Structure formats: C-alpha cells, structure tokens
C-alpha cells in the first residue's frame, strides 16, 4: 500500500507539472478502483495541482470532499498553506477566503499556524504592497511567540517598509537578523 501511495504521489506531481489536472484527479479514481485509500499527502498533492493552476474552486472541492468531518483524513499545515498561497496568487488576493481558511485551520482542525504559514501570508502582502496587513501579521507572529526564520528574513529584507517594522518588533536577543543580508 505504501508503494501504491508513493506511486500515486509521483503520478499526481507529474500530471501537475505537465499541466494535466484531470490526469491528476484520475489517480484518485485509480486508487479507489484498486481498493487503496489515499492518505493526506496524496490528497494534498492533488489540491496543490489545482491551486497552482489557479483553479481554486476545484482545489477547494477536493479539499472539502476528502477532508470532510466524517473522513479519516486530516489536513495539515502544508495543505492549508497551499490553499492560502492559491488564494493569495489571485489578483487581488482573496483575503476573505484566506481568513476563513485560517479560521477553519485553527478552529476545526486544531492546526496552529507556524512561521511557515506566516511567511506565506507575508509573501502575499509583500507582493501586493499591503504593508498594513503585513504589520498586523508581524505583530500576530510576535504575540504567538513564533520565531522568524530565513524565509521571513528574505521576505522582509526585500521591502524597506517591512524591514524597518520587522526590526522594531523583533529586536533584541530573540533576533539574529543581519540587515545587510
């Protein structure tokens, strides 16, 4: 079964790279026909294929069908990060849906956002120059006791307004940030 799931992951990722989301979806059908239940990683890979193609309706449909409350599958932070990134790539980003996803993530699935999730959100803010929202996210990250990582430093370094606010919030002994980076 483990090998079948690994093969499914390989096929889904290959279909995603070749712009064949329908082929990726057929992998789930093939698994069901073989009597193999997909795991959360396989479903997340399928969600990723649709999200990367900008088909958020289908990405959410797969998410909702496979991770419903009566399912044995549980989404993880990576699953939610993929969905957040998908809505964040929209022009403009769909912040209402992102907010609902973050609420669902914490309240329904008890998945706490880590630095990884905040980095995704900050990336969206930096791309769209939504600095007020970025300042709020930096404050929330600090209040949650999350430590910035190399990804966070790279995001804020590229935008002067973010860099200054970030240094103000994360100054002191908690921060090993080289502003010349």
């Amino acid at each position: 079964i483990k090998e079948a799931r690994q093969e499914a992951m390989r096929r889904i990722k290959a279909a995603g790279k070749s712009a064949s989301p329908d082929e990726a979806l057929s992998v789930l059908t093939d698994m069901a026909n073989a009597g193999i239940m997909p795991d959360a990683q396989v479903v997340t890979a399928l969600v990723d294929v649709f999200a990367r193609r900008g088909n958020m309706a289908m990405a959410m449909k797969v998410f909702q069908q496979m991770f419903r409350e009566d399912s044995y599958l549980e989404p993880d932070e990576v699953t939610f990060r993929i969905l957040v990134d998908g809505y964040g790539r929209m022009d403009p980003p769909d912040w209402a849906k992102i907010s609902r996803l973050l609420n669902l993530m914490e309240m329904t699935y008890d998945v706490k956002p880590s630095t990884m999730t905040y980095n995704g959100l900050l990336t969206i803010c930096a791309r769209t120059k939504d600095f007020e929202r970025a300042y709020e996210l930096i404050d929330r990250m600090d209040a949650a006791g999350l430590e910035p990582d190399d990804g966070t430093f790279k995001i804020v370094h590229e935008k002067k307004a973010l860099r200054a606010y970030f240094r103000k919030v994360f100054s002191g002994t908690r921060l090993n940030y080289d502003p010349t980076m």
Side-chain angles (χ1 to χ4, degrees):
I1 292 179
K2 182 179 179 182
E3 292 80 20
R5 287 183 178 143
Q6 288 173 337
E7 176 63 15
M9 286 278 291
R10 188 196 62 72
R11 287 180 52 207
I12 289 171
K13 287 180 180 182
K17 287 179 182 172
S18 68
S20 303
D22 292 337
E23 171 63 27
L25 193 56
S26 74
V27 173
L28 281 186
T29 305
D30 294 348
M31 288 181 78
N33 290 341
I36 301 169
M37 297 300 293
D39 62 10
Q41 286 181 315
V42 169
V43 175
T44 296
L46 185 58
V47 168
D48 189 43
V49 167
F50 289 107
R52 284 183 189 273
R53 294 267 159 235
N55 189 344
M56 292 308 297
M58 193 62 183
M60 283 305 298
K61 184 176 181 178
V62 170
F63 175 86
Q64 290 166 343
Q65 287 181 350
M66 299 306 292
F67 293 117
R68 62 186 187 273
E69 287 187 38
D70 64 343
S71 173
Y72 68 96
L73 296 175
E74 291 280 329
D76 61 11
E77 187 179 12
V78 172
T79 310
F80 285 102
R81 169 71 193 269
I82 287 167
L83 292 168
V84 164
D85 288 351
Y87 284 119
R89 280 192 292 274
M90 294 178 149
D91 189 21
D94 194 332
W95 286 107
K97 288 184 179 168
I98 290 170
S99 181
R100 284 194 295 274
L101 275 171
L102 294 172
N103 188 49
L104 181 73
M105 176 179 162
E106 288 193 74
M107 300 302 182
T108 302
Y109 294 100
D110 197 31
V111 176
K112 302 292 181 224
S114 72
T115 301
M116 176 184 69
T117 296
Y118 280 96
N119 285 352
L121 296 166
L122 288 170
T123 297
I124 298 165
C125 292
R127 180 181 57 81
T128 60
K129 298 178 177 69
D130 188 348
F131 299 125
E132 290 302 317
R133 191 180 313 266
Y135 301 154
E136 180 184 317
L137 289 167
I138 290 169
D139 288 339
R140 287 175 58 190
M141 192 175 170
D142 181 45
L146 295 173
E147 295 295 327
D149 64 11
D150 290 342
T152 318
F153 297 142
K154 185 177 185 314
I155 296 161
V156 301
H157 180 72
E158 294 172 0
K159 298 291 182 186
K160 185 177 181 179
L162 288 181
R163 189 170 57 236
Y165 190 79
F166 181 81
R167 275 196 301 244
K168 181 179 130 193
V169 172
F170 285 104
S171 63
T173 58
R174 285 182 58 200
L175 188 60
N176 253 344
Y177 173 59
D178 177 4
T180 63
M181 177 176 74

